[in-house]
Amino acid sequence: MPAALPRRRFLQLGASVGAAAALPLTGLLPSTAMAASADGAALAIAPSFGTLKQIDAGDLRVGYVEAGPADGPPVLLLHGWPYDVHTYESVTPLLAAAGYRVIVPYARGYGTTRFLTAGTARNGQQGALALDAIALLDALRIPKAIVGGCDWGARTAGILAALWPERCQALVAVSGYLLVSRKVNEQPLPPAAELQWWYQYYFATERGRLGYEKYRAEFSKLIWQLASPQWRFDDATFARSAAAFDNPDHVAIVVHNYRWRLGLADGESRFDAVEARIGAAPEITIPAITLEGDANGAPHPPSSGYRRKFTGRYDHRDLTGGIGHNLPQEAPKAFAQAILDVTRL
């Protein structure tokens, strides 16, 4: 654990773990919400995590986990690829026990989240994912939330914080500032850096799309091992997340995301204005904490490279102990602590 985290608060968190199981996992159930669909039965959520719900929001019928009191300060936690809501399985009870209302959605192409119409483009660009999150906040009638994320989710959370600060009380992001500029992406990297993005180039090919379709579980498990080389997750832990990749839109969303980043696939014109704002690399002015693990095997920027992008109250925390890319699942107490601390900076 990083020295910057107060020991007293960690003791409080540790004591709250047992209490979390007894806390009623209640929350606002909007009139448009429904039980998880039949094809999501394999995606049952452990009671200690929260309740799996569905709600229509924007282009999607979003599957999401909710925990904590309905009137608690809202926290929106966003997962990445190839992960799912279980990134926050241990974080969520800690926050719920501390009185927070925690919302953890399946992103488009994951779990029980489905497109409302067959004709909607299966688009994985960053602007689409960000507007999905705004639509979910609107559907849940949440005017403002603490936002947190890891991997793709950190990018989405950062976009919300930069473009819609009025909807974000504060930000917690793994690996810092991840907003993508396709113009910047046109520039080649040194060979060693390009090598880290091997899967991005694989997905740029039809062979890669077919390979991921056929071997999505094996592929995802390999990414977990490479991105978190010291994380000793068991088969059951991986299987809980891998079930979310059986979503019928999963491969299309993932492949489009990486092809779009390289300029090899078009986005939708309705997101052009948002992408222009993101590509301008806006500053993040709200309170923020960024975190990095000492064993992150995925491509990620050094904290010194993005410090200037955070112009509000800010703290960066480096975690030791072999913590890899999926930081909230590998170090849930440290991530939950950052959520608790970020509004008090």
Side-chain angles (χ1 to χ4, degrees):
M1 309 258 177
L5 300 178
R7 183 173 183 273
R8 179 178 62 86
R9 293 294 296 152
F10 267 111
L11 291 174
Q12 290 173 353
L13 273 179
S16 71
V17 176
L23 185 73
L25 296 173
T26 59
L28 178 64
L29 183 61
S31 59
T32 52
M34 61 180 66
S37 56
D39 62 353
L43 296 167
I45 298 299
S48 60
F49 185 1
T51 303
L52 181 59
K53 300 179 179 181
Q54 300 285 134
I55 188 169
D56 290 358
D59 293 335
L60 305 169
R61 177 159 295 150
V62 179
Y64 67 100
V65 178
E66 181 167 358
D71 59 352
V75 179
L76 178 65
L77 300 178
L78 304 168
H79 72 80
W81 172 84
Y83 307 98
D84 81 322
V85 296
H86 288 91
T87 290
Y88 303 102
E89 182 178 15
S90 296
V91 169
T92 296
L94 296 174
L95 296 177
Y100 288 81
R101 178 188 178 192
V102 187
I103 307 294
V104 190
Y106 283 109
R108 53 170 60 197
Y110 294 79
T112 60
T113 293
R114 297 291 186 272
F115 285 87
L116 292 172
T117 64
T120 304
R122 273 36 179 179
N123 179 349
Q125 73 183 99
Q126 61 184 351
L129 292 164
L131 285 168
D132 287 346
I134 291 293
L136 178 60
L137 291 176
D138 290 344
L140 292 171
R141 305 184 189 96
I142 296 175
K144 198 168 190 175
I146 299 171
V147 293
C150 184
D151 193 79
W152 289 17
R155 177 174 298 108
T156 300
I159 293 170
L160 265 59
L163 269 57
W164 294 282
E166 72 280 2
R167 304 300 301 271
C168 304
Q169 185 179 1
L171 168 69
V172 174
V174 177
S175 297
Y177 190 93
L178 299 176
L179 283 65
V180 170
S181 166
R182 290 215 299 177
K183 186 67 175 176
V184 172
N185 272 6
E186 293 175 358
Q187 301 303 313
L189 299 172
E194 296 281 20
L195 178 62
Q196 296 183 76
W197 288 107
W198 63 272
Y199 53 88
Q200 183 171 236
Y201 303 119
Y202 182 64
F203 289 152
T205 69
E206 179 62 10
R207 180 186 178 95
R209 186 190 69 79
L210 291 172
Y212 189 53
E213 179 72 59
K214 184 175 181 179
Y215 298 111
R216 69 182 78 176
E218 296 89 342
F219 196 103
S220 298
K221 193 170 190 178
L222 174 62
I223 295 295
W224 279 37
Q225 292 166 339
L226 294 175
S228 300
Q230 298 185 43
W231 183 27
R232 299 295 177 253
F233 59 88
D234 58 24
D235 289 342
T237 297
F238 177 74
R240 282 195 293 273
S241 291
F245 312 150
D246 288 335
N247 184 295
D249 302 308
H250 179 74
V251 173
I253 295 296
V254 171
V255 169
H256 183 266
N257 177 284
Y258 287 104
R259 291 183 181 181
W260 178 87
R261 290 197 215 181
L262 291 176
L264 300 176
D266 293 332
E268 293 178 78
S269 59
R270 61 183 172 135
F271 301 124
D272 286 352
V274 167
E275 293 295 353
R277 294 176 64 194
I278 299 170
E283 295 176 345
I284 293 175
T285 59
I286 64 172
I289 292 176
T290 58
L291 304 102
E292 190 60 80
D294 62 338
N296 186 354
H300 62 279
S303 59
S304 59
Y306 54 72
R307 172 63 184 89
R308 62 185 178 82
K309 288 298 182 182
F310 294 89
T311 59
R313 299 192 301 277
Y314 175 73
D315 186 27
H316 175 77
R317 298 175 177 181
D318 288 310
L319 275 60
T320 60
I323 305 302
H325 187 61
N326 192 19
L327 186 149
Q329 197 163 359
E330 298 176 59
K333 287 184 180 180
F335 189 89
Q337 186 69 57
I339 295 288
L340 294 175
D341 292 344
V342 70
T343 57
R344 306 185 182 111
L345 289 177

